[in-house]
Amino acid sequence: MSIKTQPVLTLEGARTALAAAEARAKEINVPMNIAIVDNACHLIAFARMEGAKVTSISIAIDKAFTAAGHRAPTSIYKENVWPGGPAFSIWNSNGGRFTTIAGGVPIVKDGVVLGAIGCSTGLPSQDEDVATRGVEAVQKTFSTKAKL
Amino acid sequence: MSIKTQPVLTLEGARTALAAAEARAKEINVPMNIAIVDNACHLIAFARMEGAKVTSISIAIDKAFTAAGHRAPTSIYKENVWPGGPAFSIWNSNGGRFTTIAGGVPIVKDGVVLGAIGCSTGLPSQDEDVATRGVEAVQKTFSTKAKL
Amino acid sequence: MSIKTQPVLTLEGARTALAAAEARAKEINVPMNIAIVDNACHLIAFARMEGAKVTSISIAIDKAFTAAGHRAPTSIYKENVWPGGPAFSIWNSNGGRFTTIAGGVPIVKDGVVLGAIGCSTGLPSQDEDVATRGVEAVQKTFSTKAKL
Amino acid sequence: MSIKTQPVLTLEGARTALAAAEARAKEINVPMNIAIVDNACHLIAFARMEGAKVTSISIAIDKAFTAAGHRAPTSIYKENVWPGGPAFSIWNSNGGRFTTIAGGVPIVKDGVVLGAIGCSTGLPSQDEDVATRGVEAVQKTFSTKAKL
């Protein structure tokens, strides 16, 4: 079998996620950089809200990059990447883009990672909260469609 | 005088430009990567349309970066950057991000550059056409306000 | 609203900060690299005093970059970036330019960050002391004008 | 002989050059980024004049870097770096910092290169004109002192 098919996140799907994340960021009053990437870790959509930090632009993009590529929220690493952990220093990989700070969350359908959202400017816990809202919003459209 | 004030492009303004560029790209049937940056060359908004090239993501961003920073469309360089031209090899500057291919166009208000749009995937002439539509759309909102 | 206005630090303002920092460095007899950036993290002014360390040139510039972009002194991170902290490894972001060593201090007017000073060569506490003098000197010119 | 002595440009010398370059830039009404480096290619002083291009910051620094390291004005390369020339593609060396666009000029005393000035924002010919004024100003202080 030389070909397979795979589900791919669209720009429309990415924007659904972005809009929900943006709404949540407004709700908690923390302007954010919000990045959505596909399953190949490539950028689909991005927005910098008024007041989001300039130094968080690349952090948001790299959180999404990491969550999509390693297929896990960037908040999970903890002691695995601390001194003594088996993945200590992994943040240095991928040209320094691998991010082990909360705020990158994969977008998943039926156990398959379709992409990820990365958020940055707030506390990492706030960034993850905002990213999660984006993920939930787009994932809801998957199940809605599945029901039809 | 230790402080001056200057106009700054908002996310809303960037999205006005992005939407118009996207509409034009659909009209000519060439999906594009579309990036909008501020006057300091930092990303505000980005979209990759269905079918836009993966290797054009960074080209679009770098075209916007160059048009905003050097305050000119990226289409102007021509013989100035060819062998024998006074700026030959300038594409190598800024860590290789300086782009001398058409498709980056500054957003200008009263002679002041507020940012730029960069588009990529089509022919450079198509990329510039699409970027120009985005620029025109956001610039129209400036003059409307000026009339009020 | 497609445009907003914001205050911007001038070269004159940057030099006021630089001169005061330099005077303080002489006072404590620790020659320094002193960098001033704007609110977009771009360099405005720089001086390497006689005897300042060569490897501290980029450290000074990156401290200013980080303090301006993340809008906080680079001395604040402490346990947040140590193993177990929520922002552990953040120093790796922004192409490795994010600096969590004291000596970068934002320049603020009415709660708005206009840029930052970064100093390096001494102990981090000395670097921060010198940067702070620079910040205070330029901030004094803001309030003087506000009173007029 | 395990040790030699060499003349070294001071911060005061660098500032003499910078001030003269800045004055010339004002005279021709082209705001510039102006960088001065020592004989080891390391930055001593930098100023971004109001209105100088953001994308010219690193170009100015890299012009000074190249002029000091290769001990020649960056305007001399011409056909040597064009296709067919013996140094074709040299701009790619030194991590892409080698600059073959006019505007970097060495500071020389008795045939010894002490550093260089790099200017950027104008036409390359204007950048070189401004850099040359800076070089002349600081070189004049050498000969004055030599006469004493």
Side-chain angles (χ1 to χ4, degrees), chain B residues 13 18 21 27 30 38 43 45 52 54 71 73 81 98 106 109-110 116 136:
Chain B
L18 197 156
E27 206 170 84
V30 182
D38 63 21
L43 194 62
V54 165
R71 300 186 210 124
V81 299
F98 201 104
K109 180 183 185 295
D110 303 331
E136 287 168 355

Side-chain angles (χ1 to χ4, degrees), chain D residues 48-98:
Chain D
R48 173 156 50 107
M49 297 171 67
E50 303 306 318
K53 292 175 185 168
V54 164
T55 31
S56 287
I57 296 172
S58 69
I59 296 176
I61 294 173
D62 288 350
K63 283 178 178 175
F65 169 90
T66 305
H70 246 52
R71 302 189 206 119
T74 54
S75 60
I76 64 157
Y77 296 100
K78 296 190 169 70
E79 61 271 23
N80 291 299
V81 299
W82 300 342
F88 176 62
S89 82
I90 197 170
W91 59 77
N92 210 49
S93 72
N94 288 271
R97 298 188 60 193
F98 202 103

Side-chain angles (χ1 to χ4, degrees), chain B residues 27-87:
Chain B
E27 206 170 84
I28 65 171
N29 205 27
V30 182
M32 298 233 172
N33 290 284
I34 303 167
I36 291 92
V37 303
D38 63 21
N39 65 350
C41 308
H42 294 307
L43 194 62
I44 305 178
F46 175 85
R48 172 156 51 105
M49 297 169 67
E50 304 307 317
K53 293 174 183 168
V54 165
T55 34
S56 287
I57 297 171
S58 71
I59 296 175
I61 295 173
D62 288 350
K63 283 179 179 176
F65 170 89
T66 304
H70 247 52
R71 300 186 210 124
T74 54
S75 60
I76 65 159
Y77 296 100
K78 297 190 170 72
E79 61 270 24
N80 290 301
V81 299
W82 298 342

Side-chain angles (χ1 to χ4, degrees), chain A residues 32 90 97-98 131 133 137:
Chain A
M32 299 231 172
I90 197 171
R97 297 189 61 193
F98 201 103
R133 293 299 184 98

Side-chain angles (χ1 to χ4, degrees), chain B residues 2-14:
Chain B
S2 56
I3 300 178
K4 60 181 177 180
T5 61
Q6 66 182 22
V8 176
L9 187 65
T10 62
L11 174 56
E12 186 184 325

Side-chain angles (χ1 to χ4, degrees), chain C residues 44-132:
Chain C
I44 305 177
F46 175 85
R48 173 156 51 106
M49 297 169 67
E50 303 306 318
K53 293 174 184 168
V54 165
T55 33
S56 287
I57 296 171
S58 70
I59 296 176
I61 294 173
D62 288 349
K63 283 178 179 176
F65 169 89
T66 304
H70 247 53
R71 303 188 209 123
T74 55
S75 60
I76 65 157
Y77 296 100
K78 296 190 171 71
E79 60 271 23
N80 290 301
V81 300
W82 298 343
F88 177 59
S89 83
I90 197 171
W91 59 77
N92 209 54
S93 74
N94 287 272
R97 298 189 62 192
F98 201 103
T99 309
T100 60
I101 301 171
V105 182
I107 296 167
V108 185
K109 179 180 186 297
D110 304 331
V112 178
V113 171
L114 303 187
I117 311 185
C119 295
S120 185
T121 284
L123 300 172
S125 57
Q126 293 173 319
D127 295 343
E128 184 168 62
D129 171 44
V130 167
T132 301

